[in-house]
Amino acid sequence: MSEAVASPARIGRPAIGALGILALALGTLQSVVEPALPLLQRELGVSPAEGALVANALLVTGAVVTPVAGKLGDRYGGKRVLVLLMAVVSAGGLLASVAPNLPVLLLGQVLQGVMVGALPLSFILVRKHLSAGESQVAIGVVVALFTGGGMVGTLVAGPIAEGMSWHGMFALPTIAIIVTTLVVTRLMPHDPPVRSDTGIDWPGVVLLSGALLAFMLGLVTVTSGGLPPLVVGALAVVVVALATGWVVVERRAASPMVDLRMLAKPAMWNACVLTFVITVSSGMVILLLPQLFAVSADGYGFGADTTDIGLFLLPGAIAGAVSDSVGGVAARRFGPRAVVVVGTVATAATLLVLASLHTAAWQLVLAKVVTAFAAGVGTTALLAGAATAVETRDTGIATSLLVVTRVIGVALGAQIGGAVLAAGADPTTGRPAEAAFVTGFATAGLVAALSLLVVRVTKKGVQA
């Protein structure tokens, strides 16, 4: 019997454990930036808008890699592609660990972003080598450890940065990734590739990457001020041209990275718009809260260091992790629209209150918990609802479209939050004024409230 049709070898607990530990290390590397953003801005001498690029560079790569990772794994073998992606992640982590300036750090983050493709590849591997029931357990272990890694990164970023340097935040998780990848390579059997008549949409990958990066870089440069109107116009033309080219390519590609024709379905269109609005608001909160925690306590801030910020953000990280499991259950019981409405009301009310009341750390911690839980429940409910509203054969396309929308929304929200703070910074000290945070929280609350309008409009459309 040829290798292409032979039954894949079964894997044992050590191989599953190695995949889980790899996911833990990846989650840690992904999450060290959020509590350390104020520190990185001080060390590199950059504005909050430029600092937001550090986290967003990883998200942009993730948005591009996610839709094609599974196709690459099927075509060339999940193990082979996973090891290759981990080599790229390791190169990015090592580059970030020695980065002397912002551009080098951004390049390291871009390379690290391919880690997002590791999860679907892990799912492919366990599904090929285990029964359906065993696969569900193994996938649950991998996802739980990746989520746990996010919490570990939030907690250890401060102690590592203070005990070593901020470079160590990237170096230690990267070393763990390298070691664990070697173990996975040793324990995980090769999986045979699956022949396919469709190709990888590389033009779409390049155009989407360029459009997202150009938009975020343009937002930073525009809000920094001092640019002639002609340059601003040129940046806008570049972004529009790249985005338009991507849409044209996706509509004509035989195997598009994101099948935009799926948006013709009302359920998908509504889910994408709602997911985008929710995650833009969530992304603004993700950027604003650490910045406010770090502002000097002699003014309106709290003077928190990276360790303190990590501890303040931990309850929100736990709430976000719990929300992923609650969202699907809530969608099945109450329907995605009801879940979104409740979450939107809670988020908008919390942020509008926070805009006027942010004098105690517990107020910010509570706001983070509420907004993280509401955003997680809402987007997961929309994901679950969309997955059941389309044909079974289209489930992968629908979910990947929503995942990309979710990543883009968070990245855009964080960049907007950074731009608001940069625009409201004191020219002499560079520190954002309190009014900038008030504007940021109020804007995030109003953006979240747009979900109610979207739900109302789409409900009328369905009734009509």
Side-chain angles (χ1 to χ4, degrees), residues 272-285 288 340-341 343-352 355 371 375 408-410 412-417 420 438-455:
C272 283
V273 173
L274 285 169
T275 297
F276 180 74
V277 173
I278 292 170
T279 51
V280 167
S281 174
S282 178
M284 293 185 68
V285 176
L288 292 170
V340 168
V341 168
T344 294
V345 171
T347 299
T350 298
L351 292 175
L352 293 176
T371 55
I408 293 174
V410 171
L412 178 59
Q415 208 61 60
I416 293 173
V420 170
V438 172
T439 301
F441 290 131
T443 303
L446 293 175
V447 170
L450 284 177
S451 300
L452 297 176
L453 179 61
V454 175
V455 168

XYZ file of all heavy atoms in Angstrom, residues 272-285 288 340-341 343-352 355 371 375 408-410 412-417 420 438-455:
384
model
N -20.288 39.359 10.423
C -19.009 40.044 10.196
C -19.065 41.494 10.667
O -18.131 41.980 11.309
C -18.638 39.976 8.717
S -17.998 38.376 8.191
N -20.163 42.186 10.344
C -20.283 43.590 10.759
C -20.308 43.699 12.281
O -19.615 44.530 12.875
C -21.544 44.226 10.147
C -21.763 45.629 10.711
C -21.422 44.290 8.636
N -21.093 42.858 12.935
C -21.170 42.891 14.394
C -19.839 42.523 15.032
O -19.402 43.154 16.000
C -22.272 41.945 14.881
C -23.703 42.443 14.684
C -24.706 41.324 14.954
C -23.987 43.632 15.591
N -19.177 41.494 14.493
C -17.867 41.096 15.027
C -16.870 42.235 14.897
O -16.093 42.514 15.820
C -17.349 39.852 14.283
O -18.247 38.762 14.512
C -15.960 39.462 14.765
N -16.889 42.910 13.761
C -15.962 44.018 13.535
C -16.193 45.146 14.537
O -15.250 45.654 15.157
C -16.117 44.534 12.109
C -15.201 45.674 11.767
C -13.846 45.447 11.553
C -15.686 46.967 11.682
C -12.995 46.495 11.250
C -14.847 48.018 11.374
C -13.494 47.782 11.163
N -17.452 45.536 14.729
C -17.757 46.631 15.656
C -17.352 46.269 17.082
O -16.727 47.063 17.797
C -19.258 46.974 15.594
C -19.621 47.989 16.670
C -19.619 47.525 14.222
N -17.695 45.054 17.506
C -17.368 44.623 18.870
C -15.860 44.616 19.101
O -15.363 45.088 20.132
C -17.961 43.222 19.142
C -19.487 43.294 19.187
C -17.427 42.647 20.450
C -20.160 41.936 19.208
N -15.107 44.096 18.145
C -13.670 43.943 18.346
C -12.915 45.262 18.200
O -11.851 45.425 18.800
C -13.095 42.899 17.380
O -13.505 43.201 16.031
C -13.577 41.502 17.744
N -13.446 46.205 17.429
C -12.813 47.536 17.392
C -12.887 48.171 18.775
O -11.897 48.720 19.283
C -13.492 48.435 16.344
C -13.056 49.889 16.523
C -13.130 47.976 14.937
N -14.052 48.111 19.403
C -14.196 48.635 20.763
C -13.284 47.901 21.734
O -12.592 48.517 22.561
C -15.650 48.506 21.210
O -15.805 48.884 22.559
N -13.234 46.572 21.618
C -12.386 45.770 22.498
C -10.911 46.106 22.300
O -10.143 46.197 23.268
C -12.627 44.283 22.232
O -11.790 43.480 23.027
N -10.498 46.299 21.059
C -9.105 46.643 20.787
C -8.703 47.972 21.389
O -7.569 48.146 21.866
N -9.620 48.946 21.392
C -9.326 50.230 22.022
C -9.091 50.062 23.520
O -8.157 50.641 24.086
C -10.473 51.207 21.774
C -10.636 51.629 20.327
S -11.911 52.906 20.106
C -11.122 54.295 20.918
N -9.916 49.257 24.173
C -9.758 49.013 25.606
C -8.430 48.317 25.889
O -7.730 48.646 26.854
C -10.939 48.179 26.140
C -10.733 47.833 27.612
C -12.244 48.926 25.955
N -5.826 51.094 25.766
C -5.953 52.221 26.686
C -5.662 51.854 28.144
O -5.008 52.625 28.860
C -7.367 52.812 26.583
C -7.713 53.523 25.270
C -9.209 53.829 25.212
C -6.908 54.798 25.132
N -25.418 39.299 21.835
C -24.732 40.521 21.416
C -25.361 41.745 22.072
O -24.657 42.654 22.531
C -24.758 40.654 19.881
C -24.310 42.035 19.444
C -23.869 39.593 19.254
N -26.690 41.808 22.130
C -27.375 42.963 22.721
C -26.995 43.117 24.196
O -26.644 44.215 24.652
C -28.898 42.820 22.562
C -29.626 43.863 23.417
C -29.294 42.984 21.101
N -24.368 41.890 25.788
C -22.956 42.223 25.902
C -22.663 43.658 25.506
O -21.829 44.341 26.126
N -23.352 44.143 24.476
C -23.148 45.518 24.019
C -23.596 46.526 25.072
O -22.901 47.514 25.347
C -23.921 45.759 22.712
O -23.344 44.960 21.683
C -23.869 47.216 22.305
N -24.754 46.297 25.662
C -25.253 47.203 26.697
C -24.277 47.248 27.869
O -23.949 48.330 28.390
C -26.657 46.771 27.160
C -27.087 47.569 28.397
C -27.669 46.951 26.047
N -23.801 46.081 28.286
C -22.853 46.023 29.403
C -21.554 46.743 29.058
O -21.007 47.501 29.871
C -22.582 44.567 29.780
N -21.040 46.523 27.844
C -19.777 47.144 27.434
C -19.914 48.653 27.313
O -19.090 49.414 27.846
C -19.325 46.565 26.085
O -19.114 45.157 26.223
C -18.036 47.225 25.622
N -20.932 49.116 26.612
C -21.109 50.555 26.407
C -21.307 51.275 27.737
O -20.697 52.334 27.979
C -22.294 50.801 25.476
N -22.141 50.711 28.607
C -22.376 51.344 29.903
C -21.094 51.398 30.731
O -20.775 52.423 31.352
C -23.472 50.584 30.662
N -20.342 50.307 30.724
C -19.094 50.254 31.498
C -18.092 51.296 31.020
O -17.470 52.009 31.823
C -18.476 48.848 31.384
O -19.386 47.888 31.938
C -17.164 48.776 32.144
N -17.927 51.413 29.718
C -16.929 52.331 29.180
C -17.345 53.788 29.346
O -16.498 54.658 29.610
C -16.672 52.010 27.707
C -15.971 50.672 27.462
C -15.869 50.379 25.975
C -14.578 50.680 28.090
N -18.617 54.069 29.208
C -19.072 55.449 29.406
C -18.932 55.869 30.866
O -18.579 57.024 31.159
C -20.522 55.590 28.938
C -20.722 55.433 27.418
C -22.204 55.502 27.054
C -19.935 56.497 26.651
N -15.238 56.519 31.504
C -14.761 57.801 30.973
C -14.836 58.907 32.023
O -14.017 59.833 32.021
C -15.573 58.186 29.742
N -15.683 44.095 29.928
C -15.553 44.256 28.476
C -14.942 43.019 27.824
O -15.354 42.630 26.726
C -14.717 45.490 28.146
O -13.435 45.413 28.802
C -15.416 46.763 28.600
N -17.111 40.962 25.154
C -16.603 40.835 23.788
C -16.389 39.377 23.415
O -16.713 38.949 22.303
C -15.297 41.618 23.639
N -8.705 41.728 12.581
C -8.603 43.059 11.997
C -9.275 44.087 12.910
O -8.760 45.196 13.116
C -9.225 43.090 10.597
C -8.398 42.233 9.632
C -9.316 44.520 10.071
C -9.015 42.093 8.258
N -10.415 43.738 13.480
C -11.113 44.661 14.370
C -10.288 45.013 15.598
O -10.181 46.191 15.969
N -9.698 44.008 16.238
C -8.865 44.263 17.418
C -7.667 45.136 17.056
O -7.328 46.099 17.761
C -8.398 42.937 18.047
C -7.358 43.202 19.128
C -9.579 42.179 18.639
N -7.322 47.226 14.520
C -7.743 48.583 14.184
C -8.120 49.359 15.445
O -7.765 50.538 15.602
C -8.930 48.536 13.225
C -9.521 49.893 12.813
C -8.469 50.753 12.139
C -10.718 49.699 11.899
N -8.830 48.702 16.368
C -9.212 49.369 17.607
C -8.008 49.803 18.420
O -7.968 50.928 18.948
N -7.016 48.927 18.536
C -5.806 49.285 19.270
C -5.090 50.459 18.620
O -4.593 51.368 19.292
C -4.875 48.078 19.360
N -5.061 50.454 17.285
C -4.389 51.545 16.582
C -5.142 52.858 16.765
O -4.532 53.921 16.933
C -4.271 51.201 15.102
C -3.077 51.849 14.413
C -1.756 51.419 15.017
O -1.426 50.242 15.023
N -1.023 52.359 15.550
N -6.465 52.812 16.770
C -7.263 54.020 17.007
C -7.035 54.526 18.424
O -6.876 55.743 18.655
C -8.756 53.741 16.764
C -9.012 53.464 15.275
C -9.609 54.914 17.233
C -10.428 53.021 14.983
N -7.007 53.613 19.387
C -6.738 54.020 20.766
C -5.388 54.695 20.908
O -5.253 55.728 21.583
N -5.597 58.199 19.439
C -6.278 59.152 20.322
C -5.314 59.656 21.393
O -5.265 60.867 21.686
C -7.512 58.494 20.967
C -8.083 59.375 22.072
C -8.580 58.221 19.920
N -10.277 60.053 28.530
C -11.729 60.223 28.573
C -12.312 60.086 27.165
O -13.305 59.377 26.951
C -12.087 61.601 29.175
C -13.593 61.858 29.045
C -11.669 61.666 30.639
N -11.664 60.739 26.202
C -12.117 60.636 24.812
C -12.032 59.201 24.309
O -12.941 58.705 23.633
C -11.249 61.546 23.915
O -11.364 62.892 24.366
C -11.700 61.446 22.467
N -10.937 58.527 24.645
C -10.752 57.146 24.200
C -11.811 56.208 24.747
O -12.414 55.417 23.996
N -12.081 56.273 26.065
C -13.083 55.387 26.659
C -14.483 55.706 26.137
O -15.278 54.798 25.869
C -13.049 55.506 28.187
C -11.823 54.911 28.817
C -11.096 55.630 29.744
C -11.404 53.639 28.483
C -9.965 55.090 30.333
C -10.271 53.077 29.060
C -9.552 53.813 29.991
N -14.799 57.000 26.011
C -16.114 57.379 25.503
C -16.293 56.913 24.063
O -17.362 56.407 23.688
C -16.286 58.897 25.599
N -15.241 57.069 23.257
C -15.314 56.617 21.862
C -15.505 55.112 21.786
O -16.323 54.605 20.991
C -14.040 57.021 21.104
O -13.867 58.443 21.183
C -14.110 56.592 19.654
N -14.761 54.368 22.609
C -14.901 52.908 22.620
C -16.312 52.505 23.028
O -16.889 51.554 22.475
C -13.876 52.291 23.568
N -16.898 53.219 23.998
C -18.261 52.920 24.412
C -19.275 53.192 23.318
O -20.202 52.407 23.097
N -19.084 54.298 22.605
C -20.005 54.629 21.517
C -19.863 53.651 20.354
O -20.855 53.287 19.711
C -19.746 56.063 21.051
C -20.091 57.156 22.067
C -19.680 58.524 21.543
C -21.581 57.139 22.401
N -18.624 53.217 20.077
C -18.420 52.216 19.025
C -19.133 50.920 19.392
O -19.808 50.297 18.556
C -16.914 51.965 18.801
C -16.701 50.753 17.897
C -16.252 53.190 18.185
N -19.004 50.509 20.656
C -19.697 49.291 21.094
C -21.203 49.445 20.931
O -21.903 48.507 20.523
C -19.348 48.988 22.551
N -21.716 50.627 21.249
C -23.159 50.858 21.146
C -23.663 50.770 19.714
O -24.859 50.535 19.483
C -23.514 52.220 21.739
N -22.763 50.936 18.736
C -23.170 50.792 17.335
C -23.722 49.397 17.051
O -24.510 49.219 16.114
C -21.984 51.070 16.411
C -21.574 52.532 16.208
C -20.337 52.608 15.329
C -22.717 53.325 15.592
N -23.304 48.418 17.844
C -23.815 47.061 17.655
C -25.327 47.019 17.796
O -26.011 46.258 17.099
C -23.174 46.107 18.667
O -21.775 46.068 18.524
N -25.862 47.828 18.709
C -27.318 47.862 18.886
C -28.009 48.355 17.624
O -29.056 47.834 17.220
C -27.677 48.762 20.068
C -27.166 48.322 21.439
C -27.509 49.367 22.484
C -27.746 46.967 21.816
N -27.401 49.364 16.990
C -27.963 49.877 15.742
C -27.892 48.826 14.643
O -28.854 48.644 13.885
C -27.216 51.140 15.319
C -27.657 51.793 14.005
C -29.119 52.224 14.093
C -26.761 52.980 13.680
N -26.766 48.121 14.566
C -26.613 47.079 13.553
C -27.647 45.983 13.765
O -28.291 45.511 12.821
C -25.186 46.494 13.578
C -25.069 45.320 12.613
C -24.162 47.563 13.236
N -27.815 45.553 15.023
C -28.808 44.511 15.328
C -30.199 44.977 14.936
O -30.986 44.228 14.355
C -28.753 44.143 16.821
C -29.963 43.283 17.199
C -27.468 43.407 17.148
